[in-house]
Amino acid sequence: MSLAKPILLVGAGALGSSILKGFRVQGHVTPSDVMILDLKPGEEAQAYAADGAKLNPLPEIWHSAKTIILAVKPQGWHAVAQILNGNIDKAAVIVSVMAGVTTTQLKQAFAGHPTARVMPTTGVATGKGVASLYADTVAGMDAARGLFAPMAQTVELADEDQINSATAVSGSGPAYVYAFVRALEKAGRANGLSYSHARDLARGTLISAARLLDETGEDPEALIKKVASPGGTTEAALNILCKPGEGLDELILASVDAAHKRSRELG
Ligand SMILES: NC(=O)C1=CN([C@@H]2O[C@H](COP(=O)(O)OP(=O)(O)OC[C@H]3O[C@@H](n4cnc5c(N)ncnc54)[C@H](O)[C@@H]3O)[C@@H](O)[C@H]2O)C=CC1
Ligand SMILES: O=C(O)[C@@H]1CCC=N1
């Protein structure tokens, strides 16, 4: 797994900062390996600069970058491509984490550069994210792996179109899980728990359930059976939550379909 440095990160917002945190946690990229371009650098970008990263360096310096991560919004990336072009090394690998922007579009904007697409989760910040990778060249896939394999469980996609599905399931997925925790917390309060107890119980339930999923490797179905006693409280809840035809399965399917559709539109 080879990762060519220095790295130029364009966009250090929610995801860009998570990537920077993941570099720090895993140590595979150090602040001195990094240049950051951001119009409004936040806390993490500033902390990197304090530790030796170059923050908003002059364009002359961008030429030294061997790997360039594009982490701006899909709506703003054309402006970034215009600014970068002519100021970057022809061999630099372009790694896009942007939803929707296709390899064809990247290659039009960055002619001659190897490219890769990655759909990470913000969980890379802890060194334990999830990332789907797609590249049509060895150089592109090497860069994507080198950046993300140390801080994420990676899935390598052979078909670029599947990155839209990966975006809808895992890129956006953490927000679905947080929405569930929020709903459980609200329901706890509605059922008489104090604010702090409802909060602790909802969060703790997610974290302990996720640990079991991870540590046992068991299917959700088997784990559900271990919680739900026949005729018990869980079954009473699941009869509503998973009501055939109008329960969670249908709601998640419709939600993922909507995200998938939006991912295609963003390109
Ligand atoms: N937030 C997430 O969970 C995920 C986001 N993504 C993708 O990551 C990309 C970034 O998303 P977020 O980090 O959520 O957005 P964000 O809005 O938090 O961050 C974007 C950053 O880009 C900077 N920026 C904008 N225009 C710029 C320019 N011309 N030059 C330099 N910096 C510029 C902004 O100041 C901001 O800090 C998007 O394309 C999104 O599709 C992908 C997977 C997950
Ligand atoms: O909401 C979005 O468009 C981005 C892509 C996946 C997660 N956040």
Side-chain angles (χ1 to χ4, degrees):
M1 195 160 56
S2 69
L3 175 59
K5 300 166 187 169
I7 291 160
L8 176 64
L9 172 69
V10 189
L15 184 62
S17 293
S18 300
I19 291 171
L20 291 173
K21 284 184 182 146
F23 288 164
R24 211 187 264 284
V25 168
Q26 297 303 92
H28 59 301
V29 178
T30 61
S32 59
D33 294 326
V34 178
M35 292 178 262
I36 301 167
L37 296 183
D38 198 295
L39 297 176
K40 288 185 198 159
E43 213 174 287
E44 193 59 33
Q46 306 279 4
Y48 256 68
D51 290 342
K54 294 186 177 71
L55 179 57
N56 289 327
L58 293 170
E60 300 86 276
I61 315 287
W62 306 350
H63 273 286
S64 63
K66 300 282 181 263
T67 304
I68 299 175
I69 306 174
L70 298 182
V72 294
K73 294 282 191 205
Q75 293 86 347
W77 81 278
H78 282 292
V80 167
Q82 270 180 358
I83 295 163
L84 291 179
N85 264 320
N87 289 310
I88 54 174
D89 189 315
K90 275 284 168 207
V93 184
I94 307 290
V95 179
S96 163
V97 295
M98 299 179 294
V101 180
T102 63
T103 297
T104 302
Q105 291 171 309
L106 291 170
K107 286 192 185 302
Q108 275 164 3
F110 297 99
H113 289 265
T115 63
R117 292 185 62 191
V118 178
M119 183 44 57
T121 58
T122 44
V124 293
T126 66
K128 290 186 185 295
V130 178
S132 303
L133 320 181
Y134 171 81
D136 62 354
T137 56
V138 171
M141 191 52 96
D142 274 355
R145 269 194 217 114
L147 284 168
F148 287 92
M151 56 187 181
Q153 177 186 332
T154 58
V155 169
E156 295 188 13
L157 303 174
D159 173 3
E160 181 173 4
D161 194 47
Q162 289 182 347
I163 209 148
N164 295 308
S165 311
T167 302
V169 170
S170 80
S172 300
Y176 314 157
V177 176
Y178 303 136
F180 180 84
V181 174
R182 183 179 60 194
L184 192 56
E185 186 183 321
K186 272 190 201 166
R189 289 209 301 271
N191 274 263
L193 291 170
S194 69
Y195 180 90
S196 72
H197 286 169
R199 181 178 185 274
D200 291 351
L201 291 177
R203 285 175 174 230
T205 300
L206 172 86
I207 292 162
S208 68
R211 280 220 175 103
L212 270 184
L213 202 57
D214 188 32
E215 286 172 17
T216 65
E218 289 189 73
D219 289 334
E221 201 58 47
L223 291 166
I224 288 172
K225 280 210 176 90
K226 288 183 185 170
V227 181
S229 311
T233 61
T234 315
E235 197 177 87
L238 291 176
N239 284 342
I240 294 170
L241 189 67
C242 301
K243 195 169 186 181
E246 51 178 297
L248 193 62
D249 283 3
E250 289 73 21
L251 194 59
I252 295 287
L253 178 61
S255 307
V256 168
D257 284 352
H260 187 141
K261 179 170 175 280
R262 186 63 188 140
S263 175
R264 285 181 188 280
E265 289 165 357
L266 284 172

